[in-house]
Amino acid sequence: MKLLIEGGDEATLLALQREGWPDGAEFLIVPPGLARTKPCALNYGLARALGEFVVVHDAEDRPHPDQLKSAVRAFRAAGEELACVQAPLVGQGARAWIAGQWALEYAVQFGRLLPGLARLGLPIALAGTSNHFRRFALEAAGGWDAWSVTEEADLGLRLARAGQRVGMIAPPTQEAPPEARPVWINQRSRSRKGFVQTWLVVM
């Protein structure tokens, strides 16, 4: 387990150090001077990864206890063209109207749209978390685009271009949905901007 922390974020580092972590957990401080983006930090972590598989979880995620085993079983049952499996994201713990709309959107995306695309073998724009990769396929694809606004969508399409496949697994990850309209608008605006950027790059 590698916990990626931006250089200079002492408050986050101290908070993490106060928590109990399993043996082998490693704190990686992303050096200053690199792009201060999530995909840049992920590439820094990937360069230091040792395992056969790589999984990305955000700090606030609550993945199902069986998610990792389910991912490994999916990889073992499939051929090497299966480069990634995506776990569904579900909202929990909020009752605001906007949180309900967010949860509905995600239920359609992860319960219907992405599984349908996966069954048809079509390209999938990955979510930003709870994606599990074969490390060699991720490295062969060049990792994440450090300058992309939606690096996960970009990576999903680059995997498809390389002849790799993305699948879905059932055990979900719980996320806290946005409860305020400005937070939701900013989140969705960023996604739309990133999708346009990804389309321009890919096309």
Side-chain angles (χ1 to χ4, degrees):
M1 175 188 294
K2 299 187 185 300
L3 297 103
L4 304 174
I5 306 145
E6 290 285 355
D9 190 354
E10 299 298 332
T12 299
L13 178 59
L14 289 173
L16 288 172
Q17 288 174 335
R18 285 194 291 266
E19 299 296 324
W21 298 98
D23 292 341
E26 180 182 7
F27 295 93
L28 291 181
I29 310 299
V30 182
L34 301 177
R36 294 181 64 85
T37 62
K38 177 182 174 181
C40 182
L42 290 173
N43 285 329
Y44 186 78
L46 177 61
R48 289 149 183 81
L50 301 175
E52 181 181 356
F53 304 108
V54 173
V55 58
V56 176
H57 284 125
D58 289 339
E60 69 274 15
D61 286 350
R62 296 294 179 268
H64 190 282
D66 289 337
Q67 192 178 109
L68 295 178
K69 290 182 179 179
S70 180
V72 171
R73 284 195 294 266
F75 285 125
R76 295 287 187 243
E80 291 192 353
E81 75 278 359
L82 181 65
C84 174
V85 290
Q86 172 73 61
L89 306 181
V90 298
Q92 182 166 347
R95 298 184 179 181
W97 180 86
I98 200 72
Q101 304 312 300
W102 180 94
L104 178 60
E105 176 188 354
Y106 272 41
V108 172
Q109 179 180 354
F110 293 101
R112 293 290 182 266
L113 180 60
L114 296 189
L117 292 173
R119 278 194 294 271
L120 293 172
L122 296 174
I124 289 180
L126 296 169
T129 179
S130 301
N131 26 57
H132 307 247
F133 300 94
R134 292 188 194 271
R135 183 163 63 94
F136 77 82
L138 180 56
E139 291 173 338
W144 292 269
D145 179 353
W147 303 103
S148 177
V149 178
T150 49
E151 72 285 343
E152 62 280 358
D154 170 83
L155 178 55
L157 298 185
R158 282 194 286 114
L159 288 171
R161 176 175 279 178
Q164 299 289 303
R165 194 163 54 83
V166 173
M168 296 290 296
I169 54 176
T173 291
Q174 296 176 2
E175 271 197 4
E179 298 189 59
R181 187 180 298 271
V183 175
W184 179 79
I185 290 174
N186 288 341
Q187 186 186 77
R188 307 286 17 101
S189 298
R190 173 186 168 276
S191 294
R192 299 303 177 262
K193 180 174 72 172
F195 290 158
V196 171
Q197 179 191 29
T198 296
W199 185 87
L200 291 170
V201 169
V202 171
M203 298 303 288

